[in-house]
Amino acid sequence: MEALTAEQSIAAITSGQTSSEELVEEALRRSEDDPWGAFLALDGERARRRAKEIDAAAERPPLAGVPIAIKDVLSTRDLETTAGSQILKGFRPLYTATCIKRLERAGAVVVGKTNMDEFAMGSSTENSSYQLTLNPWDMETVPGGSSGGSAATVAARQVPWSLGSDTGGSIRQPASLCGVVGMKPTYGAVSRYGLIAFASSLDQVGPLARTVRDSALLLSHIVGQDPRDSTSLDWWKPIEVPDTERLDGVKIGVISEMLENGIESGVKSATEAATATAAELGAEITEVSLPSSRHGIAAYYLIAPAEASANLARFDGMRYGARAAADDLLEHYERTRGEGFGPEVKRRIMLGTFALASGYYEAYYARAQRVRTLIVRDFGEAFEKVDLLLSPTSPTTAFKIGERVDDPYAMYMSDICTIPMSLAGLPAISIPCGVADGLPVGLQLTGPAFSENGLFSVAHALEQAIDFDALPETLS
Amino acid sequence: MIDPDTVRHVARLARLHLSEEEQETMREELSGILEHIEHITSLDLDDVPVTTHVVELENVLGEDVTHEELSAEEALREAPEVAGGGFSVPRMG
Amino acid sequence: MSTAVALEPVIGIEIHVQLATRTKMFCRCRLSFGDPPNTHTCPVCLAHPGVLPVVNGEAIRLGIVAALALGCEIAPRSVFHRKNYFYPDLPKAYQISQYDEPLGVNGHFSVLKPEGEFEVGITRVHLEEDAAKLLHLSSGGRRAGAEQSVVDFNRGGTPLAEIVTEPDLRSAADASEFLKQLRQTMRQLGVSDCNMEEGSMRADANVSVRPVGSTELGTKTELKNMNSFRFLERGIEAEIARQTGMLEAGERVVQETLHFDPATGELHSLRSKEEAHDYRYFPEPDLVPVVPGREWVEQIRTSLGELPVDRRRRWMNELGISYEDAEVLSETTELGAYFEDVASQVDAKSAANWIRGELRSQLKDTGDTPWESKATPERLAELIQLVTDGAIGSSAGQEVLAEVLVSGRPPAEIVDEKGLRQIQDTDALGAIVDQILADNPKETGQLKGGKQKLIGFFVGQVMKETKGSADPRKVQELIRERTG
Ligand SMILES: [Mg+2]
Ligand SMILES: [Zn+2]
């Protein structure tokens, strides 16, 4: 059976060619056969029941019963949710995340939970405390991270689309490495209620899909203000599924810092080719500088760990999760957390605690927050000149499993192109723009806050023109 | 750059048990990371305000109306140890 | 330090009051007291993974009420921070609190005393959430150390206003009086029920001692969680005595946190935690700033009405009632209003006496409050007027009041029906007095000779003759006239 996109699936169900039940069954079959290790848990029984209900309903919901996979960082009632961590092994949440509730109401069927770096901390999914996820393009390479499972499952055609979360690039970078579309909305666009927090001021939920149109469709069903998330925004205009073909008059700024050293030549040439394609479609191309973006990594690796150190303090083995044997309270805390968290999580908690500790706060955390202001200003100035910004998504294509695990900072550099947008809360999308040495390259487009529709339009036009139709080797 | 005492102090603040070996690895890794980050300490940022939120919202206030609560069984369902209707706490030294 | 140097105590108070909202500070679970453990929780107040706080708007309003009543400036923008520390009663391992941008700052609160008033500076008023409750289960008491603690999250997340004073208090009695009047204010404005036993008002005291005249502060200690006015007063007194003794003996006071044991009257040092506190405050990214806006603040200010302290001061200055009467009558808003109503119709002092005296004692049996009783302010005023005018005697007044409380009928009607009206007619009374004097020549002679004690005897005789319907004051007057 050919793997349909979400849009095609909805059309096929609506026209009676197939049913939700059939598509969910097929998705479950493909997901059970999971040589890539994309899934941590499947929810077959409930998914089949939901599909039946949708098929039997008098009126078909907009998403028609299309299957979807969810990053294990989102809370799903009664379905094990671990955020990739041993400290949450066996944990069955008491509630469902707002974005998933919205998707289910719109007729999406959750088939399972995807693998990820523990608490979304990582860029390769190697920090999952459960399993590796392999890149469907080359099973010796990583799928990127932290939403590696959500990217791999879409690339491997197990499900047409999935949800991920992006704190510093965790949707866009794996999308780039797996040759799929990944989108991080404007901060506040999607409710974070039910998203297990990593860095609260940066975290956003977003779609991973095979097409830009599917990404827009998925996003359109999860945006909007949620009374349970005080930082969520009232989304006054609907997200539209794009059909643009030309880019006449669109001003695109190529971020000069992101074509400098550290960017692989294959990535650079694919990015340049995509830029040329944009020009052919009528876009005006200029070069734009974001001078403070080179401090992005530094600011990010102070702010995100600082917030994480507080967000992860609740994992204490008293109300839920794993609990270590101990003789007294202090030992209980230290053992439970020392044994429950993996090395990268501990590293970031340490870094964040350090950055906030008395005597260091001003030098580190407060400075990082000021640098953040400079980065926000840089983007503001850039968007006075151009409509959107273009850059690679990741400085490299998928790297070998194990290649960066012993060098935390090398791993952190994986997000050098995606972090500034996160710090500024801006929407950004990664689309596949070519292949380098057999591995996909992602192109990142960034817009001003709330420019989702414009971003999707440009991404769609470019996607059509680039016509990226390569299939992962493991599937062909 | 980070000494062993600082590692121990921060680990205690964060309630993380680290073996001797982990402490040393942590010290090296944190020092390495901070070396890469250090350059922001030399930036002139005196006149730059902090950004704590990128959304410009204010006064997001909930109504004082009760919502659905969990039953005691549900509340305790995921707890590793319970006693007397409560979440059991390790011996408080 | 020489004992010749006089020492003075310097005291500041930190008060936590539970705000009288229906629901918690950051989730909409019901506030409760005494319910079975963990029956008012949700994923938010249990700090389950992925949950987010949402500020209770009513808590902000009550916080502004409290801050305004304490004379504070309302910050144009206030921000919540995370205060990080690990403890089983703090499920997120951080308390959402306000730090460098609190709701209210720079206030002052006047405290009335019989000999005058004094002012206490209010450093700040900020909002935060309460911790949960640790319950200690006993395992039958067989082995020491076998008892177990569990957490009950019903209280976890209750909205609190934390009020911090300047070190302006100079005695334990003043501290206690300040707290009493603060409680009265918070109660009457509906901010909190301030029940110290149930823990809805908790106070910590910072105490130091210094030479009189010195402007520097001595080393302070912190007395934690005293749950009654008496314990607060005794605790502070004990600590002042301890510090004074140390200074006089040339010892140094060590900064520490103390617990006062009311049973033994002793102060115990609370063992300090494993490491110095480092709360790693940082702005709460899950919440946005609170910007109350001038209009809202002014609307709240207008809604406050007259503050209890201002009302008491006015009663004393303008109505001439005593400190004690004002204190008692201002206890609740309703009683105050009742009193004011009565006092607007008759002499204020008589009103105060009647309400505090006869009315209160008669109502003890029924348990009714004055304002709910059948003795409406009009009825009571009518009754007081009858007595003041001498139309009835005070014991008749008591009888009439009892009847008013039962039937609510007009006192004059009851007086007439029961024939309680006093003989006011001077001629008629005079004739009776003359008769009695004549009937008792020996005593009359002694009275005229200066044996004043006999006045009572004659008054009694007249009252007996008139079957109690004479105004004893008038009778006395007439006897004096005739024997003086
Ligand atoms: Mg406090
Ligand atoms: Zn709750």
Side-chain angles (χ1 to χ4, degrees), chain A residues 91 94-95 192-196 200 227-231 310-311 313-315 319-320 329 333 337 356-358 361 365, chain C residues 43-44 46-54 82 84 86-88 91-94 153 278 280-283 285-286:
Chain A
F91 171 64
L94 298 169
Y95 74 102
R192 291 184 293 117
Y193 190 73
L195 170 66
I196 299 178
S200 313
R228 290 184 176 276
D229 177 0
S230 307
T231 63
N311 285 330
R314 70 187 57 195
F315 299 99
R319 282 146 293 122
Y320 44 79
L329 186 60
Y333 277 121
R337 295 166 54 77
L356 289 174
S358 98
Y361 183 93
Y365 183 74
Chain C
V44 177
L46 292 176
H48 268 239
V51 299
L52 298 169
V54 177
R82 292 184 181 179
N84 298 282
F86 288 88
Y87 209 65
K92 299 188 292 297
Y94 55 84
F153 285 97
D278 182 347
R280 290 159 282 136
Y281 280 98
F282 73 99
D286 290 332

Side-chain angles (χ1 to χ4, degrees), chain B:
Chain B
M1 193 159 43
I2 287 194
D3 58 38
D5 280 347
T6 306
V7 171
R8 268 192 294 276
H9 171 67
V10 173
R12 171 57 56 85
L13 279 178
R15 296 293 187 272
L16 286 176
H17 173 80
L18 301 177
S19 66
E20 293 280 321
E21 205 186 316
E22 278 180 295
Q23 285 177 30
E24 180 48 25
T25 315
M26 190 65 80
R27 194 192 61 74
E28 287 166 18
E29 287 170 346
L30 291 186
S31 298
I33 294 164
L34 284 175
E35 223 169 276
H36 287 288
I37 287 175
E38 205 69 27
H39 58 93
I40 70 159
T41 62
S42 57
L43 294 176
D44 180 13
L45 298 167
D46 290 350
D47 301 326
V48 183
V50 298
T51 294
T52 57
H53 294 78
V54 287
V55 287
E56 283 174 23
L57 289 169
E58 53 191 36
N59 292 338
V60 179
L61 304 175
E63 251 188 282
D64 188 25
V65 176
T66 51
H67 66 181
E68 207 185 316
E69 296 172 349
L70 297 170
S71 67
E73 294 84 60
E74 279 179 301
L76 296 163
R77 186 180 87 180
E78 297 300 313
E81 280 176 43
V82 298
F87 297 85
S88 123
V89 174
R91 199 171 63 82
M92 298 166 74

Side-chain angles (χ1 to χ4, degrees), chain A residues 7-29:
Chain A
E7 216 182 357
Q8 291 163 345
S9 304
I10 294 168
I13 295 171
T14 314
S15 68
Q17 273 172 272
T18 184
S19 64
S20 168
E21 212 184 331
E22 261 179 75
L23 287 183
V24 166
E25 202 56 59
E26 178 66 13
L28 285 168
R29 192 187 60 73

Side-chain angles (χ1 to χ4, degrees), chain C residues 27 29 41-42 45:
Chain C
C27 67
C29 287
T41 71
C42 71
C45 55

Side-chain angles (χ1 to χ4, degrees), chain A residues 36 61 72 101 109 141 150 216 279 284 324 403 411 428:
Chain A
W36 307 280
D72 204 32
K101 273 192 177 170
V109 177
T141 68
S150 282
E284 276 174 46
E403 190 181 302
M411 187 69 92

Side-chain angles (χ1 to χ4, degrees), chain C residues 14-16 83 85 95 97-98 126-129 160-164 202 204 224 281:
Chain C
E14 287 181 26
I15 308 109
H16 285 88
K83 178 183 182 179
Y85 64 94
Q95 180 194 36
S97 180
Q98 296 187 311
H126 76 244
L127 300 180
E128 60 186 29
E129 55 180 335
L160 300 178
E162 182 176 327
I163 299 160
V164 182
R202 308 194 285 269
D204 306 333
K224 277 281 181 200
Y281 280 98

